[in-house]
Amino acid sequence: MADSKYSPETTMDVTLDELAQRRASLSGPSGLAGVIRQPRLLALAAVTTLGALCYGYEQGAYSQVLVMPSFTDDPAFARIANESDYKGWSVSLLGIGGWVGSLINGYTCDVLSRRWALFVGGIICLMGTAFTTAAQSPAWFFGGRFLIGWAVGGLSAAIPLYNSEISPPELRGTIVSIQQLAIVTGIMISFWIGYGTNYISETNSASWRVCLAIQGVPALLLCFLCVFYLPYTPRWLAGEGRFDEAVESLAWIRNRPIDDELIKIEMLEIRAEAAFEAEINAERYPWLVNSNKSAWVLKAQLQLLTFGRLFTTLHMFKRTATAGLMQFFQQMTGIDCIIYYAPTIFGGLGLSGNTTSLLASGVIGVVFVISTFPAIMVIDKIGRKPLLLIGSAWMGICLVLVAALVGSFEDDWKSNQNAAWACVVFIWLYVGGFGASWGPVSWTVISEIFPLSTRAHGTSLGASANWITNFVVSILVPIMLDSITYGTYIFFLAFLILGALWCIFLLPETRGKSLEEMDNVFGSGEGKADAERMYRIQTELLAANKLDILEDPSTRSAKVQQHSEKRDLV
């Protein structure tokens, strides 16, 4: 390699296009094959998605607790168990907490770093777990579930941000999609743990307390690994001007020497992104750049101003509305009705024994995990809209059949156990349809439609729409199940049809679209302008010999040796 024109010593003599070609030749395969070749990257993604596991586990665990005799027969929690509106509030506080957490996450990630934002999320999750596990009254549950919602809401936005910043472009989609897999895995684990702890006792509160307490295990592990294993992301370090640390972090993540050719090329991209953001902010908000205020205050103001840009022009409002509606219709498919209240729903079908209804719920988690894999495999091959439309048709048929069966046999399930089990099967199939369509596709779409300069904030706002809709659905569902029974499924079917029509006529297909093509869809030139600005900055950095990764070239040999020793130890 030393005699190549692309060697580290002569990289400055090539053009950006040649550099891009060289980067592609050095990067290795994309997708799962590429991830397997970078086990350290996969390990870091597994650590961060412990936060997503917490989210999925909490969704499923509390639904199990709501039907455990040791909980429902306890006079202290009679209102939660027996009053639909009270039950709805106890469930929905997770959504309102998630909405708060997702909105303030951008500020936390910028000020504290992505790494410590994950740590804070884990700590808040532990606090919420302690409140719900030790609960002596409904008020404890309300406070604990709000804290857990705050934690997982922030984590739901911090995790993909961290993982996208440590991933090379060819592996970014695969690494980020691990989050969705972790969520459904958490749901699956919680259902089966709830099924198991239900056998502890029908009168001892340990049955439900143990089920809720186990959520603290991944949260505690996340906190521990954030301190002792997880590095700062190279892009956050570069944004803070800490370039020496950025290249050391990048080299450790890639498991390569800091003077490796691919590391140097990737550092050019990271420096360019940092310069791009600084230039955008200086151009649009010069009074902030020249201000004497503290960094904490300035970053808070900058966050608010950037969120404001999502609504200031028609084309940006179109993108923002698309992200919000994407998440709104995802939630209004009714999926959280099933996740949060599956044991309640199956118990209402007259399945013999509380254990049987919990067992039926446990299968949902397995279906969720299995159905997510096909979406990950084909989403970049057949596109986003076809997956959404196929999933909508599949889920719609299942909802019609469930509504018909409930409407026909709800007065005498004991004499019609075959119909009850048919309902269970159609609910399983409905969940599979969601896992293969609306679940992963909605998160993918909102990360693609915004230009570079507003992508993080637009995605965060889209996530907040998911949480606030989650909050409303969680309140309404127990009331609807009590008052309109099978009409609940018709209600969500109506929104599923509206979502499908929106996909057909208004949602653009984002598969493989460049920033310029996305501009044509939304009637603006912002994406193209961002791309041109980034190209200019990269060219300037390359021409100015900024590909040197150390501030003081005289220290290079010592730094390389020091880093090599650290890599050997790790």
PDB file of all heavy atoms in Angstrom, residues 129 202 323 448:
ATOM      1  N   THR A 129     -38.197   2.455  37.446  1.00  0.00           N
ATOM      2  CA  THR A 129     -38.370   1.046  37.791  1.00  0.00           C
ATOM      3  C   THR A 129     -38.507   0.875  39.297  1.00  0.00           C
ATOM      4  O   THR A 129     -39.331   0.083  39.784  1.00  0.00           O
ATOM      5  CB  THR A 129     -37.169   0.230  37.287  1.00  0.00           C
ATOM      6  OG1 THR A 129     -37.079   0.348  35.860  1.00  0.00           O
ATOM      7  CG2 THR A 129     -37.319  -1.240  37.645  1.00  0.00           C
ATOM      8  N   GLU A 202     -50.758 -16.287  43.525  1.00  0.00           N
ATOM      9  CA  GLU A 202     -51.916 -15.487  43.155  1.00  0.00           C
ATOM     10  C   GLU A 202     -52.232 -14.432  44.203  1.00  0.00           C
ATOM     11  O   GLU A 202     -53.092 -13.574  43.996  1.00  0.00           O
ATOM     12  CB  GLU A 202     -53.141 -16.374  42.928  1.00  0.00           C
ATOM     13  CG  GLU A 202     -53.036 -17.242  41.680  1.00  0.00           C
ATOM     14  CD  GLU A 202     -54.365 -17.879  41.331  1.00  0.00           C
ATOM     15  OE1 GLU A 202     -55.338 -17.670  42.077  1.00  0.00           O
ATOM     16  OE2 GLU A 202     -54.423 -18.578  40.301  1.00  0.00           O
ATOM     17  N   ALA A 323     -43.411  13.677   8.421  1.00  0.00           N
ATOM     18  CA  ALA A 323     -42.833  12.919   9.544  1.00  0.00           C
ATOM     19  C   ALA A 323     -43.860  12.719  10.648  1.00  0.00           C
ATOM     20  O   ALA A 323     -43.998  11.609  11.194  1.00  0.00           O
ATOM     21  CB  ALA A 323     -41.608  13.648  10.089  1.00  0.00           C
ATOM     22  N   GLU A 448     -35.197  10.017   6.538  1.00  0.00           N
ATOM     23  CA  GLU A 448     -34.717  10.235   5.170  1.00  0.00           C
ATOM     24  C   GLU A 448     -35.228  11.515   4.519  1.00  0.00           C
ATOM     25  O   GLU A 448     -34.641  11.982   3.540  1.00  0.00           O
ATOM     26  CB  GLU A 448     -35.152   9.055   4.277  1.00  0.00           C
ATOM     27  CG  GLU A 448     -34.540   7.743   4.665  1.00  0.00           C
ATOM     28  CD  GLU A 448     -35.097   6.578   3.854  1.00  0.00           C
ATOM     29  OE1 GLU A 448     -36.294   6.610   3.498  1.00  0.00           O
ATOM     30  OE2 GLU A 448     -34.329   5.647   3.570  1.00  0.00           O
TER      31      GLU A 448
END
